[in-house]
Amino acid sequence: MSKPQKKQVKRSKKTPKIPSFSSNLLTGIAAIFFLMALFTVFVGDGKEKEEIALSQVAQDVQAGFVESIVVSGDTLEIAYLDESEKKSKKEVNTAITETLANYGVSNDQLSGVTIEIKNQSGLGFWLLTLGPFLIPLIFLIVLFYFLTRQIKGAGVQALNFGQSKARIIDPADKNQRVTFKDVAGAKEAKEELVEVVDFLKSPKKFLDIGARIPKGILLMGAPGTGKTLLARAVAGEAGVPFFTISGSEFVEMFVGVGASRVRDLFKMAKQMAPAIIFIDEIDAVGRSRGAGMGGGNDEREQTLNQILVEMDGFEPNNKVIVMAATNRPDVLDPALLRPGRFDRRVTIDVPDRKDREDILKIHAVKKPFHDDVDLAVIAERTPGFSGAELQSLMNEGAILAARENRKTITQYDLIRSIEKVMLGPERKSHILSAKEKEITAYHEAGHALVASVLPYADPVHKISIISRGRAAGYTLNLPLEDKRMHSKKEFHDDIAVTLGGYVAEEMIFGDLTTGPSNDLQVLTNLARNMVTKWGMSSKVGPIALESDGGKPLFGGGMSEKGYSEEVSALIDGEVTKIITGAKKEAKKILTKHKDALDVIAKKLIEVETLERAEFEELLIANGITPKKKLDIEHADTEEK
């Protein structure tokens, strides 16, 4: 649901960039050298000529060594037949012929020499005369100019310190405009926001009937679900200016700066109303006050107070709407969420299969695809992917095709991109030894075999022992349909599947490696959540003891627990019981189907990767029927 962000057009006054003193000094020195070089060009040609006496010039003319003489004021430039050049001086206001005649040069001897009279230009004369005085003067002027500019710039920076740093998207800029057509999925969220568009386009319809549009709209959802894109789409549909700023840009080390920036932002928006103010990651400045951190005069709290005042001071006809986005609505201050401020909350969920396909189609624009590309299959294999991850997937597919010097993107490129986004790139340089390869093969075969037998586990789509990211191998389990809720039976089977690799290593090799370390972390967290969050323990009962953040409820301290030591021991016992039961289930399955485990592991060692069709053929050959989701209802009736 995300879209590539383009460079935003700025309409607000830009704070001038203040150059440093060192850069000013270097610029001044460079300017001085330039003027000196220019002076050299005008005054002389840069060649050092030997200066001789005028009597020597007369002797050389009499001897026939001189080819030409150039007279420039009182300066003589003598060119000799041997191509050497010298210079000399003569009396001012005296002709060269008269001067040479006084030294005994006859007219016949002088007739063999070319004499050229060159009048000195006014510019050259003045440069030559005033140059020694002008260069130091120009240096001082340039240095003084840059120093005063430095002082002036510091003053401008101080005056602009409290101004808003919001960026503005002009509604007239078609390249920056985003509409609801550019946003796939999130149907319910778009329906909530259509009212905002209608109000901005025709507020009279609402005001005449006594309706008041929400002043603040809070967009909540996981990272990458398209909160910012939806806010831009509202502004694009309504054709109004869009002010965007991050919550962290309000807070500075100086007290009062954040509040000043809030006032300036709202002032700009009111002047350009109707308009939309969008504060991204508002939890950076809108966290609950009075938590005992920072004190009452904390800069962040002052900034939050100013936001509350500005939003509460709106009149119904101001036509300025504040939108904000966060993925942590639980930490926001209650004053922000009360009616009259952010009184409308829009939740943006992770897209389902159909929405994922629509998002992929949006990001497929301008990408050349091969005939075998089927975006519906890609959507099926990406449950839980956000819009940003789907965008990354399409981009990675294009990069893979370009890396292999192909002009079109194939289905195989997109399949590989799914694994790259989920697990990381292939580590082709990470070559396993024969023993490590065998251990990894049995480990992944254990995961896959347990998942294929248990009725509530997701089916296996791919098994590989090629390293990706930090994993030596992986088993890709994907549900056949999107799920919003998970049952206790599904969690038990998931834990058993996660322990499949651990049990396979212990059973086949009689030893354990560090390979299952991540598996153990995942299943332990899952089992603890079953007990402390979801009430899936018969002994603990339907009690929530921890929040989604993993800490005790009701604002307890970092080291506090919201329950007694006896309850803590009970929780640990229930977590151990769940994991132990799942381990017994996994061991029972692998012991019963050990032949299938050996066949799958040996095939993995041979080919390194097994797709779903190949894997299911091996299962059928060993007497195991791959479970389908349609069989779950029958499994429910067969349980004890």
Side-chain angles (χ1 to χ4, degrees):
M1 191 157 45
S2 62
K3 183 179 178 180
Q5 297 290 326
K6 298 180 181 178
K7 188 176 180 181
Q8 297 174 337
V9 178
K10 298 183 180 180
R11 294 178 56 189
S12 60
K13 290 185 178 181
K14 184 178 179 182
T15 303
K17 184 179 179 181
I18 308 303
S20 63
F21 177 77
S22 58
S23 63
N24 287 342
L25 185 60
L26 291 175
T27 305
I29 294 174
I32 296 304
F33 276 110
F34 173 76
L35 292 174
M36 293 177 64
L38 191 65
F39 176 77
T40 304
V41 169
F42 278 102
V43 172
D45 55 6
K47 294 181 180 179
E48 192 66 32
K49 298 176 183 178
E50 181 184 355
E51 186 171 355
I52 59 177
L54 189 58
S55 58
Q56 182 62 44
V57 175
Q59 293 176 9
D60 292 340
V61 171
Q62 290 174 345
F65 298 152
V66 178
E67 180 181 3
S68 65
I69 299 175
V70 177
V71 182
S72 178
D74 61 345
T75 303
L76 303 179
E77 296 180 3
I78 304 100
Y80 288 81
L81 295 175
D82 59 358
E83 298 183 353
S84 62
E85 294 182 356
K86 298 179 182 179
K87 62 180 180 179
S88 182
K89 296 286 186 179
K90 73 175 186 65
E91 297 176 4
V92 183
N93 298 327
T94 303
I96 183 62
T97 54
E98 181 181 352
T99 301
L100 292 178
N102 293 336
Y103 280 95
V105 179
S106 64
N107 291 334
D108 293 336
Q109 293 171 339
L110 197 60
S111 62
V113 179
T114 302
I115 298 176
E116 180 183 353
I117 307 299
K118 187 177 181 181
N119 291 327
Q120 190 174 17
S121 65
L123 178 62
F125 173 77
W126 286 110
L127 283 177
L128 184 64
T129 305
L130 300 178
F133 306 99
L134 283 177
I135 290 178
L137 181 61
I138 291 173
F139 174 77
L140 292 175
I141 291 173
V142 170
L143 184 61
F144 180 75
Y145 167 75
F146 281 106
L147 288 176
T148 54
R149 186 181 176 188
Q150 179 88 15
I151 297 172
K152 181 181 177 182
V156 171
Q157 186 181 30
L159 292 175
N160 293 337
F161 199 67
Q163 290 186 356
S164 170
K165 294 184 178 181
R167 293 158 295 281
I168 306 175
I169 297 180
D170 195 323
D173 188 357
K174 295 182 179 180
N175 294 327
Q176 300 289 327
R177 188 177 182 184
V178 178
T179 63
F180 284 146
K181 293 181 181 179
D182 302 311
V183 183
K187 300 179 183 63
E188 296 80 6
K190 286 193 284 189
E191 289 175 2
E192 289 283 325
L193 297 174
V194 165
E195 295 177 5
V196 180
V197 175
D198 290 341
F199 174 78
L200 290 171
K201 284 185 174 180
S202 53
K204 190 174 183 299
K205 178 176 69 174
F206 292 88
L207 297 176
D208 289 346
I209 202 171
R212 180 182 61 82
I213 201 70
K215 297 178 182 178
I217 299 170
L218 183 64
L219 303 176
M220 305 180 298
T225 49
K227 300 182 289 294
T228 303
L229 186 64
L230 269 173
R232 291 186 59 189
V234 172
E237 289 283 346
V240 297
F242 183 73
F243 294 79
T244 175
I245 190 171
S246 172
S248 61
E249 293 184 68
F250 287 119
V251 182
E252 294 282 355
M253 65 178 292
F254 301 107
V255 176
V257 172
S260 174
R261 289 178 179 174
V262 171
R263 288 191 293 270
D264 186 60
L265 171 62
F266 280 83
K267 180 181 178 181
M268 291 167 54
K270 290 177 183 178
Q271 290 174 349
M272 300 180 66
I276 290 177
I277 295 175
F278 177 67
I279 305 175
D280 198 10
E281 303 296 344
I282 193 173
D283 52 277
V285 70
R287 285 179 174 267
S288 182
R289 295 167 292 177
M293 299 178 65
N297 292 323
D298 179 61
E299 163 67 0
R300 181 189 58 79
E301 292 194 5
Q302 287 200 21
T303 306
L304 174 58
N305 291 339
Q306 188 63 45
I307 293 176
L308 297 176
V309 170
E310 291 289 343
M311 292 188 69
D312 209 28
F314 279 171
E315 296 297 331
N317 58 355
N318 265 350
K319 295 185 291 186
V320 176
I321 294 177
V322 182
M323 302 183 71
T326 181
N327 49 26
R328 290 295 310 276
D330 55 306
V331 302
L332 294 180
D333 193 278
L336 272 176
L337 305 179
R338 75 154 175 83
R341 289 176 180 145
F342 287 109
D343 47 6
R344 176 167 292 192
R345 292 174 285 280
V346 179
T347 301
I348 305 172
D349 294 321
V350 175
D352 57 20
R353 191 203 63 78
K354 182 62 172 63
D355 290 342
R356 290 196 299 273
E357 185 176 352
D358 294 338
I359 294 170
L360 289 171
K361 288 178 181 178
I362 288 178
H363 295 300
V365 177
K366 297 183 180 180
K367 287 185 175 65
F369 286 114
H370 194 267
D371 296 337
D372 65 344
V373 171
D374 188 353
L375 295 180
V377 174
I378 303 301
E380 290 176 357
R381 298 193 67 164
T382 52
F385 272 45
S386 65
E389 288 172 324
L390 293 172
Q391 177 191 1
S392 177
L393 184 154
M394 298 295 286
N395 186 57
E396 290 293 344
I399 291 174
L400 286 173
R403 185 183 299 168
E404 297 173 5
N405 298 319
R406 287 183 280 106
K407 300 296 183 182
T408 58
I409 304 170
T410 64
Q411 184 82 345
Y412 182 56
D413 294 327
L414 298 180
I415 295 294
R416 287 187 294 169
S417 298
I418 295 174
E419 298 164 12
K420 187 173 183 180
V421 172
M422 291 177 64
L423 303 168
E426 288 186 6
R427 296 179 4 185
K428 297 181 179 179
S429 60
H430 184 66
I431 301 175
L432 299 175
S433 64
K435 185 64 176 178
E436 289 177 333
K437 195 172 184 180
E438 184 183 12
I439 294 173
T440 305
Y442 271 99
H443 182 99
E444 300 305 330
H447 286 310
L449 189 55
V450 175
S452 301
V453 175
L454 291 176
Y456 298 99
D458 293 328
V460 177
H461 280 251
K462 186 174 184 178
I463 318 170
S464 176
I465 57 173
I466 298 175
S467 298
R468 274 188 179 274
R470 299 176 62 183
Y474 59 94
T475 301
L476 191 61
N477 301 79
L478 298 174
L480 294 177
E481 58 185 12
D482 292 329
K483 294 181 290 186
R484 299 296 181 188
M485 294 186 294
H486 296 79
S487 68
K488 180 179 178 181
K489 296 175 182 178
E490 289 174 339
F491 284 138
H492 274 291
D493 284 2
D494 288 343
I495 294 174
V497 171
T498 308
L499 281 167
Y502 178 92
V503 174
E505 288 188 25
E506 186 179 41
M507 190 173 73
I508 300 299
F509 302 100
D511 196 6
L512 293 172
T513 66
T514 57
S517 60
N518 184 65
D519 295 337
L520 299 180
Q521 294 175 15
V522 171
L523 66 91
T524 303
N525 290 334
L526 179 55
R528 180 168 289 276
N529 288 339
M530 290 174 64
V531 177
T532 61
K533 293 183 182 179
W534 304 319
M536 294 181 178
S537 167
S538 57
K539 289 187 178 180
V540 176
I543 302 175
L545 299 172
E546 291 183 359
S547 66
D548 289 336
K551 296 176 183 176
L553 296 172
F554 312 118
M558 296 293 291
S559 60
E560 294 181 14
K561 291 183 179 180
Y563 40 84
S564 65
E565 292 296 331
E566 291 78 7
V567 175
S568 179
L570 182 61
I571 291 172
D572 293 339
E574 285 294 283
V575 170
T576 303
K577 178 182 175 182
I578 291 173
I579 296 175
T580 303
K583 180 183 176 183
K584 290 179 180 179
E585 186 71 21
K587 189 170 184 179
K588 177 182 175 182
I589 293 171
L590 294 180
T591 303
K592 181 179 178 181
H593 302 286
K594 185 176 181 302
D595 293 340
L597 179 66
D598 292 334
V599 170
I600 296 169
K602 290 177 181 177
K603 189 66 175 179
L604 273 175
I605 295 172
E606 178 185 348
V607 300
E608 293 188 337
T609 300
L610 283 175
E611 292 290 345
R612 180 177 179 181
E614 301 170 296
F615 173 66
E616 290 185 350
E617 287 178 3
L618 294 177
L619 291 179
I620 295 171
N622 286 272
I624 302 174
T625 303
K627 288 284 184 179
K628 306 294 183 183
K629 283 298 176 184
L630 295 176
D631 299 331
I632 292 180
E633 296 179 1
H634 301 289
D636 286 335
T637 60
E638 294 174 2
E639 285 195 355
K640 295 181 181 180

